[in-house]
Amino acid sequence: MSQGRGSAFLPMVMVTVISLLCLLVLVERANAATYTVGGPGGWTFNTDTWPNGKKFRAGDVLIFNYDSMTHNVVAVDRSGYSSCNSPAGAKVFSSGKDQIRLARGQNYFICNYPGHCQSGMKVAINAI
């Protein structure tokens, strides 16, 4: 089989397309914002209104600063957020300095220590 002048064209196009896709991913991450949940006071009681007025995007990073001996962060679904219950298999963060990248759509987080979520230690964030 002989190869003509155009035989290198297709692999070159594929490399270019793959390179552009990689560049888009890097640009999206570079544009990601970082938010400290609760502001200077950190992840504590009555933070449920902290997201009000903020615009979040998929890929943004939430930083949860808290005392790991008395609090945690649990990623939950809408039901877990509303009921203040952690479903089986929920991801629990407990470092006291957790960094969580937002997924597109609704993101829900609670503290599952007894009474904490009910005292407003929860946030619901919609990332576009």
Side-chain angles (χ1 to χ4, degrees), residues 9-81:
F9 180 73
L10 184 57
M12 212 148 93
V13 168
M14 289 177 61
V15 167
T16 302
V17 169
I18 291 170
S19 297
L20 287 173
L21 289 173
C22 290
L23 184 60
L24 285 173
V25 169
L26 290 174
V27 167
E28 182 174 317
R29 290 210 178 209
N31 288 332
T34 301
Y35 296 92
T36 300
V37 177
W43 178 234
T44 188
F45 302 106
N46 300 312
T47 52
D48 53 339
T49 59
W50 170 80
N52 294 351
K54 295 174 181 65
K55 294 186 189 272
F56 299 95
R57 298 178 60 107
D60 286 352
V61 176
L62 298 182
I63 298 174
F64 290 84
N65 292 322
Y66 58 93
D67 178 354
S68 62
M69 299 298 287
T70 57
H71 302 298
N72 64 12
V73 178
V74 185
V76 297
D77 57 15
R78 180 187 307 260
S79 174
Y81 179 83

Side-chain angles (χ1 to χ4, degrees), residues 84-125:
C84 287
N85 289 315
S86 302
K91 175 71 175 160
V92 178
F93 300 88
S94 58
S95 75
K97 297 188 180 308
D98 305 312
Q99 296 187 18
I100 303 172
R101 190 169 301 278
L102 291 173
R104 187 171 313 282
Q106 285 296 136
N107 295 260
Y108 299 97
F109 304 97
I110 66 170
C111 176
N112 73 353
Y113 279 59
H116 292 201
C117 177
Q118 292 85 346
S119 296
M121 202 164 179
K122 61 183 186 174
V123 289
I125 294 173

